[in-house]
Amino acid sequence: MRFQDAALDARAVVYAGIQADPLVGRAAALLAEATPDQRVLARAVMNGMSTDAEAWRSMFPSLFGPGAPAEGPERERSEAILAASLAVAERGEQVRSMVRGAIVESLTELLVRRRPGLAAAGPGGGPVVRRERRILFDGVRAEIHPYDVTVEADGAAEAIDCKWGARGISSDVLHQLEDARAHAADEDEVLTPILVVFDAERSCAVRLERETAPRAGTRIVGLEQLDTLAGR
C-alpha cells in the first residue's frame, strides 16, 4: 500500500484555487471551534436559500435569542460563523457548491490534526495528515479520484472522503472506501475508511437505507459527531 499525490489535471488546478480562497480557511477555522448549534447554523445558511442575516438570527434563538449570550466569545463566534456563511451563500450556485466542499475538507483536516497521539511525521519524515492523495495497491488499478484527507501512519492509516450533504453518499463512494480497506487487508495493512458528511446523522441514515453497497468497515461521521475526528 502506497500513497501518492493526485495528478495535476484541470480539476486539481481549479480546485486548488477554491481551496486557497481565504474564505475557506476562515470558515473551516471557525467551524473547528464551533458548537453543534453553530455548525447547524453554518449548514443552513450556506445552502443559499436566504442572505438575510436578521432572518437567520431569528431562526436560531439558541445562538441569538434572549437566552443566548449577548456578548463574549460564544456570541462573537456565532456572529463570525453567520458572516462567513452568508459570504458563502452569496456566491453563485456552482462556486458555492465547490466552496462548501472545500470547507468540509479543510475542517476535517483541522480536526484530524488535533487528535492526541498522532505522530508529527509519517513514513520518510513526511506529514501524517495529507490532502488530495491516491492510494495504490499492487496489482490493482488506481482510483481516478483521490481521497480528500489521508492519515498516513504505519498500522493506523485512514482514507477519508468528505461530503457536504447526505445526498453525496452514493454507491460509488461507498464501494471505493470499502474496496480500499479490502485491498489493504490483502496486503496485511490496516486502513480505516471514513466518510465525513456535514449533515445530520438522521439524514445520513435515511440516505444509507437506500444504498446496497457494502459499508460494514466504513465509519460514517455526521455533523453531530465531527469532534470525534479530533479524538474528543
Side-chain angles (χ1 to χ4, degrees):
M1 183 174 72
R2 305 176 304 283
F3 293 88
Q4 182 185 75
D5 287 338
L8 192 61
D9 55 14
R11 170 200 167 276
V13 171
V14 171
Y15 204 54
I18 296 294
Q19 291 172 323
D21 188 328
L23 177 59
V24 170
R26 176 160 59 96
L30 288 166
L31 291 173
E33 305 294 337
T35 65
D37 282 0
Q38 289 170 336
R39 288 170 179 163
V40 171
L41 168 69
R43 172 163 176 78
V45 178
M46 288 186 197
N47 275 330
M49 298 300 292
S50 170
T51 56
D52 184 341
E54 285 305 317
W56 286 115
R57 289 189 182 97
S58 68
M59 284 188 273
F60 284 84
S62 64
L63 301 178
F64 304 105
E71 55 185 20
E74 285 298 315
R75 182 55 178 258
E76 290 173 2
R77 187 184 309 119
S78 293
E79 292 289 356
I81 288 172
L82 176 58
S85 300
L86 287 170
V88 173
E90 290 168 353
R91 302 288 180 94
E93 183 176 353
Q94 184 174 3
V95 174
R96 182 170 66 240
S97 178
M98 290 190 290
V99 168
R100 292 186 314 211
I103 289 171
V104 178
E105 293 173 19
S106 294
L107 170 61
T108 298
E109 180 186 11
L110 287 174
L111 292 174
V112 171
R113 286 187 181 278
R114 294 180 177 181
R115 194 178 303 166
L118 195 63
V128 165
V129 183
R130 302 286 298 273
R131 295 277 296 277
E132 296 289 316
R133 298 272 277 176
R134 301 166 73 195
I135 304 178
L136 308 180
F137 303 97
D138 290 339
V140 177
R141 182 178 179 181
E143 295 286 351
I144 296 174
H145 298 294
Y147 295 94
D148 297 321
V149 180
T150 53
V151 176
E152 302 176 16
D154 291 336
E158 298 176 9
I160 306 175
D161 202 3
C162 304
K163 300 298 178 186
W164 166 254
R167 290 183 179 181
I169 301 174
S170 67
S171 294
D172 287 345
V173 170
L174 295 172
H175 272 295
Q176 181 174 346
L177 290 166
E178 190 65 19
D179 288 350
R181 183 196 63 78
H183 292 319
D186 289 342
E187 297 184 7
D188 296 321
E189 298 278 3
V190 177
L191 177 68
T192 301
I194 301 175
L195 181 58
V196 175
V197 188
F198 198 75
D199 205 345
E201 290 181 329
R202 185 173 181 179
S203 297
C204 296
V206 170
R207 184 72 176 187
L208 287 167
E209 285 180 359
R210 307 175 185 175
E211 297 294 339
T212 59
R215 60 177 186 276
T218 299
R219 178 184 168 198
I220 311 294
V221 179
L223 189 148
E224 296 91 336
Q225 298 297 320
L226 286 174
D227 285 328
T228 64
L229 293 170
R232 294 183 233 165

